[in-house]
Amino acid sequence: MKEITYQKAINEAIDEEMKRDPSIFIIGEDIGKHWGGSLGELAGLFDKYGAERVRETPISETAILGGAIGAAATGMRPIAYLYFDDFLGVCGDELINQLQMKYMYGGKTKLPLTITAYIGAGLSAAHQHSKCLFGWLMNISGLKIVAPATAYDAKGLLKSAIREDNPVIFLEHKVLLLSRSTSQIPNEEYTIPLGKADIKRGGSEVTVVAIALMVHRALAAADKLQEKGISIEVIDPRTLVPLDKQAIIDSVKKTGRLVIMDEEPKTGSAAGEIAAIVAEEAFDFLDAPIKRVCAPDTPIPFSPVLEKFWMPDEEDLIKAINEIM
Amino acid sequence: MAIEKEKLIDMYRVMVRIRTFEDRVFKEFAAGNIPGFVHLYAGEEAIAAGACANLRPDDYITSTHRGHGHLIAKGGKTDRMMAELYGKKTGYNRGKGGSMHIAEVDIGILGADAIVAAGIPIAGGAALSAQMRGTDQVTLCFFGDGATNTTRFHEGVNLASIWKLPIVYVIENNVYAETTPVSYAMNIPNIADRAVAYGIPGKTVDGNDVLAVHEVVGEALARARKGEGPTLVECKTCRYYGHYEGDTQTYRTKQEFEECRKRDPIPRFRKKLIKMGVLTEKDADKINQEMLEELDKAVKFAEESPFPEPRETLEDVYT
């Protein structure tokens, strides 16, 4: 085993995959030798694979994602580096109208491409650089969505995403990317299949489904609640599409209570979808109303004081849990 | 450069095939046999036929909402296209795409596309792929005048220019973007002039002269294949029908409409071929007749083909 940061995990996953498969290349802005990705997570790859495969573009989101689609349809396996998920609106047509090529063409083609993008608040980056667009993305058919919370998950899931023959968006939380904390990973190669949730902490009284950075806040809240004698099970879906419904339902069957912690405005959120699934498929096992701990339905504010208020935190989660105990 | 007789006849046949297909779609759509929207290519045949006659089977094209002509010129079969328009299982997309999304990647048709300018970055990706795979395949990217006013035109052409991608952009300037005349939508007389902004060649050509299109696109393709980068070719043409079937075309003057019909590229090419001694009147009539028969068969094939099973709705989202 070895210790690795979230950022290094992403770097290793791409490096190992590029070494394995010459049809893989990265296309995007500022990914070359100077920055190696805006947060440095691609450091060294340009020197190793050159300008041909670490292909720096002008600021051209539509040309990046559209180009990745055209290349994927004709035999390559691109990684479209879209920077912040907030920029996805610029190439919104590629996302909602073009990625569905396989379906529209009656199944005849495939699009083996991965989109990577930063997500999340916590850096006072304000509304245009802080969103988690989970619910928005989940509504787009034909796109798989990965949002890892740990270095271990990030590496194993990114390798699987790159190997997928379908479009996958891989969402990297900025707070995690900048974190120096590490997780243990095997020295040898491993992958994690998409669509498999991970029980980050076992418990018996409340199921908390938390996504990306919120996993860490849910774990911290679970520690505090443990001291008060409340047992929390924390489930990290890891991929929102496909969603491991069964893992969530199985947990709810055991605990009878569900709280979803999701860093995005409540309306139209991933949390809403998960709540609806459980209400539809496991209602009889619920002993209390489902709770959603989300952000308010507002844009994301800049000032640290306002941003802290906006982001769901441990206290919000503890309050929600107390309401249903 | 002299073009072989067979190739000239092929180009004529492709033009007639497109026109016959479109005239038949016009009729079947009016009769209520084709669901959805259709945008007819009639009047613009010289562009698809002239441009695609330069292509190899392994080259790529991207097309538009007005795409039937491009697909036929790249080798699409009229029966499977018609079946797709009818929403049948035997259609190119098994009834999942319809007129605006017909594709057959195996013969290089990367797809019609219902979003204006969407094919420009996708074509760039196909050209990049060819370049990275070390082949000499080229990509022909068709779009209309309206597309050149969008973000994607700028992003796509700019990127292709800096990477010298093997791509030729064919602008079909048919005077209107839906209802909006080009003269209103841009401040320049020739769209090809926009090439200057990217440091690439830009040529304007009579889009109703199939041999002129063939020659100019052919030169651009040869340049692309040699690794010298993209070219913008503007083909000036006009629409025989409306933007879509059902368009009342109140924005067109009678005079413009009549002048457009007078510029019809098919009788013009027919006369030329007869004058050149390539075809006789009888040969030309025979081609027209063959195409009518082919379309009768295509419609019959479409009509007699089964619809997809409703549950097929759920297939093909992922591999």
Side-chain angles (χ1 to χ4, degrees):
Chain A
M1 302 294 277
K2 62 179 177 183
E3 292 286 331
I4 193 171
T5 61
Y6 191 89
Q7 189 174 119
K8 181 71 179 151
I10 286 161
N11 188 294
E12 280 193 5
I14 295 177
D15 187 7
E16 287 176 15
E17 291 306 297
M18 285 184 77
K19 196 182 294 167
R20 189 183 57 79
D21 180 349
S23 73
I24 298 169
F25 69 101
I26 322 176
I27 179 169
E29 300 155 13
D30 306 319
I31 60 178
K33 63 180 163 192
H34 302 297
W35 282 7
S38 154
L39 299 179
E41 74 281 15
L42 305 176
L45 297 179
F46 181 87
D47 290 338
K48 205 158 176 180
Y49 298 104
E52 177 81 359
R53 292 181 67 199
V54 180
R55 193 167 268 273
E56 212 162 44
T57 68
I59 300 171
S60 301
E61 283 81 9
T62 72
I64 293 167
L65 187 50
I69 292 169
T74 55
M76 300 298 284
R77 191 171 285 273
I79 300 170
Y81 176 86
L82 253 300
Y83 235 133
F84 294 80
D85 76 339
D86 311 78
F87 301 173
L88 288 170
V90 181
C91 51
D93 178 64
E94 279 70 20
L95 206 60
I96 68 171
N97 287 319
Q98 309 302 331
L99 279 181
Q100 294 69 22
M101 203 179 253
K102 178 182 176 59
Y103 186 86
M104 293 192 297
Y105 295 179
K108 279 178 311 201
T109 189
K110 62 177 184 179
L111 287 184
L113 75 89
T114 306
I115 303 167
T116 64
Y118 306 150
I119 56 168
L123 302 180
S124 274
H127 183 61
Q128 296 170 353
H129 288 75
S130 297
K131 286 185 282 300
C132 290
L133 292 169
F134 303 139
W136 194 73
L137 290 166
M138 283 174 82
N139 191 250
I140 299 169
S141 51
L143 177 65
K144 298 191 177 183
I145 305 168
V146 183
T150 67
Y152 175 83
D153 289 348
K155 184 173 180 188
L157 288 164
L158 183 50
K159 285 170 71 80
S160 294
I162 294 168
R163 293 179 191 191
E164 269 272 334
D165 282 341
N166 300 294
V168 181
I169 186 161
F170 186 87
L171 301 168
E172 304 157 2
H173 201 291
K174 292 187 284 293
V175 171
L176 299 173
L177 265 175
L178 293 173
S179 164
R180 297 212 177 134
S181 68
T182 54
S183 45
Q184 282 211 325
I185 68 161
N187 289 317
E188 57 276 12
E189 184 176 43
Y190 69 97
T191 59
I192 298 171
L194 307 191
K196 204 159 165 23
D198 184 42
I199 300 174
K200 287 285 190 282
R201 175 194 177 107
S204 60
E205 290 175 289
V206 182
T207 299
V208 174
V209 175
I211 305 162
L213 179 67
M214 295 298 109
V215 170
H216 300 279
R217 296 190 172 184
L219 290 169
D223 282 344
K224 287 185 188 163
L225 289 166
Q226 188 68 51
E227 291 162 16
K228 292 181 182 166
I230 301 173
S231 169
I232 306 293
E233 177 144 298
V234 177
I235 296 192
D236 175 3
R238 301 194 289 197
T239 62
L240 294 170
V241 178
L243 182 68
D244 189 352
K245 293 196 298 186
Q246 203 52 51
I248 297 167
I249 289 169
D250 287 347
S251 176
V252 169
K253 282 181 179 173
K254 183 172 69 177
T255 63
R257 291 181 182 82
L258 174 65
V259 182
I260 305 137
M261 191 177 193
D262 178 7
E263 184 192 328
E264 60 179 327
K266 188 184 271 188
T267 304
S269 60
E273 184 56 32
I274 293 166
I277 290 167
V278 172
E280 226 168 35
E281 301 184 27
F283 186 79
D284 291 344
F285 298 94
L286 287 168
D287 298 326
I290 298 168
K291 285 282 182 186
R292 287 180 289 162
V293 177
C294 296
D297 287 339
T298 68
I300 304 172
F302 162 70
S303 169
V305 175
L306 304 177
E307 188 189 46
K308 184 176 182 310
F309 178 86
W310 187 89
M311 283 181 89
D313 60 19
E314 290 134 60
E315 296 312 311
D316 297 326
L317 180 60
I318 290 169
K319 185 167 170 282
I321 290 170
N322 284 333
E323 283 169 12
I324 56 168
M325 289 308 293
Chain B
M1 188 180 67
I3 307 170
E4 291 162 30
K5 187 178 162 188
E6 269 316 302
K7 192 158 190 179
L8 290 167
I9 297 172
D10 276 349
M11 278 193 257
Y12 181 72
R13 187 179 289 112
V14 166
M15 289 170 73
V16 176
R17 180 176 280 130
I18 296 170
R19 176 65 56 87
T20 313
F21 185 89
E22 296 297 59
D23 284 348
R24 192 63 188 262
V25 171
F26 176 82
K27 189 172 150 230
E28 299 301 335
F29 185 82
N33 295 330
I34 295 174
F37 306 146
V38 291
H39 306 77
L40 301 178
Y41 192 73
E44 307 181 20
E45 292 88 346
I47 303 170
C52 290
N54 292 296
L55 295 179
R56 297 194 315 230
D58 66 337
D59 290 329
Y60 300 113
I61 66 162
T62 61
S63 175
T64 68
H65 58 288
R66 195 177 307 288
H68 303 161
H70 312 138
L71 312 180
I72 289 172
K74 186 65 171 73
K77 300 287 176 232
T78 51
D79 52 355
R80 295 202 58 209
M81 286 176 60
M82 193 63 83
E84 186 59 33
L85 264 61
Y86 272 67
K88 297 298 181 75
K89 192 180 168 74
T90 54
Y92 270 123
N93 307 29
R94 295 169 57 216
K96 287 227 173 83
S99 167
M100 294 187 283
H101 302 294
I102 297 176
E104 183 68 348
V105 176
D106 291 346
I107 55 170
I109 299 172
L110 296 179
D113 203 306
I115 308 294
V116 169
I120 299 175
I122 294 173
L128 172 62
S129 159
Q131 192 185 62
M132 291 185 77
R133 285 183 283 108
T135 76
D136 67 345
Q137 292 163 289
V138 294
T139 301
L140 204 51
C141 175
F142 290 101
F143 49 89
D145 44 274
T148 69
N149 295 326
T150 71
T151 317
R152 280 186 285 203
F153 174 77
H154 178 63
E155 291 194 7
V157 178
N158 182 57
L159 195 60
S161 75
I162 65 167
W163 288 346
K164 291 198 185 313
L165 296 181
I167 188 164
V168 176
Y169 299 105
V170 178
I171 306 169
E172 297 175 323
N173 179 354
N174 66 8
V175 190
Y176 296 99
E178 298 194 324
T179 68
T180 309
V182 176
S183 58
Y184 174 85
M186 56 188 81
N187 200 28
I188 49 171
N190 294 316
I191 304 175
D193 292 349
R194 291 189 165 171
V196 175
Y198 307 102
I200 62 172
K203 299 266 174 68
T204 297
V205 63
D206 178 354
N208 286 28
D209 178 347
V210 65
L211 296 181
V213 172
H214 182 260
E215 186 183 344
V216 171
V217 173
E219 286 165 4
L221 285 166
R223 195 175 165 272
R225 230 185 267 287
K226 278 188 288 184
E228 292 170 15
T231 303
L232 212 57
V233 179
E234 175 191 15
C235 303
K236 288 193 189 282
T237 185
C238 59
R239 275 190 333 230
Y240 218 84
Y241 293 105
H243 166 65
Y244 66 101
E245 277 320 285
D247 180 359
T248 52
Q249 302 191 68
T250 49
Y251 51 90
R252 291 181 89 166
T253 64
K254 192 158 179 273
Q255 190 196 353
E256 184 264 322
F257 183 77
E258 280 167 3
E259 277 170 13
C260 174
R261 292 239 163 170
K262 270 188 228 152
R263 288 176 61 202
D264 193 329
I266 296 178
R268 181 171 163 187
F269 191 40
R270 175 182 164 126
K271 258 183 230 156
K272 189 167 205 166
L273 290 178
I274 289 168
K275 201 173 159 198
M276 289 165 76
V278 172
L279 282 181
T280 63
E281 291 282 354
K282 207 176 143 196
D283 295 333
D285 287 344
K286 187 162 168 267
I287 289 172
N288 292 5
Q289 190 54 37
E290 283 167 3
M291 291 303 122
L292 285 170
E293 285 164 19
E294 178 180 312
L295 262 298
D296 281 343
K297 282 185 197 153
V299 169
K300 189 164 185 283
F301 174 75
E303 283 173 351
E304 291 177 355
S305 289
F307 279 108
E309 291 297 321
R311 282 200 64 79
E312 288 177 37
T313 303
L314 306 179
E315 296 171 3
D316 305 323
V317 180
Y318 302 109
T319 53

